[in-house]
Amino acid sequence: MRGWLGGLFAAGGVLAVAAAWWGMWEGRSGGRMAVADLLDRPVVLGLTALALFLAASAVLRRSGRWAVALVGIGMLAVPACAPALFHGGRDRTVAHREAAPGGADRVLRVLHQGGFGMEAESQGWYVELEDGSGWSARRWLVYGQDGKWAGEGLFAAAGWDGPDRIVVTTDTGTRVYDVSGGAPVLLSATPA
């Protein structure tokens, strides 16, 4: 009975790690947004995996199989938490949301990421395109800017210029992206 219960805990830990990695993979530009929104939580899923592996090691310790569970803790649970240190976007808020003209299944989102202070160099701005609906919908990063000062390309605005074009304006110029194929393609960059 103990072996079965310990195996169940260990299998749950493996599933939590796999879910965390799948969520981070889909969280990249062009990934499926429904999966990313659900599973791109490496800290929560990594800590869940760690708890399940610890429970498995406690149950299996008496049956002599505890070493396997401890190796699983080190090899799977800790690396599942580590990418969260480098995986941005956790504190981003939606500053603007706008559907594409013409009723297309596309939405432009402008996200703001605050830093440790109110200074411009600690702020981030990201323009994303949500393309499609349901489980097949994709989220693309159109433009990203971390920590700029005035005169260095500080984000000003983003909006639609027709159903297939997005215009991003900074204090140093304008960029036009074509999104007719899903993935954004830079068409032009005009200095201010």
mmCIF file of all heavy atoms in Angstrom, residues 20 124 189:
data_model
loop_
_atom_site.group_PDB
_atom_site.id
_atom_site.type_symbol
_atom_site.label_atom_id
_atom_site.label_comp_id
_atom_site.label_asym_id
_atom_site.label_seq_id
_atom_site.Cartn_x
_atom_site.Cartn_y
_atom_site.Cartn_z
ATOM 1 N N ALA A 20 4.302 22.678 -15.739
ATOM 2 C CA ALA A 20 5.021 23.956 -15.634
ATOM 3 C C ALA A 20 5.855 24.233 -16.881
ATOM 4 O O ALA A 20 5.848 25.346 -17.415
ATOM 5 C CB ALA A 20 5.911 23.956 -14.394
ATOM 6 N N GLY A 124 8.493 48.955 -17.942
ATOM 7 C CA GLY A 124 8.494 48.208 -19.195
ATOM 8 C C GLY A 124 7.143 48.338 -19.887
ATOM 9 O O GLY A 124 6.107 48.418 -19.235
ATOM 10 N N ALA A 189 10.117 51.567 -40.156
ATOM 11 C CA ALA A 189 10.474 52.289 -38.942
ATOM 12 C C ALA A 189 10.850 53.702 -39.370
ATOM 13 O O ALA A 189 11.794 53.893 -40.132
ATOM 14 C CB ALA A 189 11.634 51.615 -38.230
#
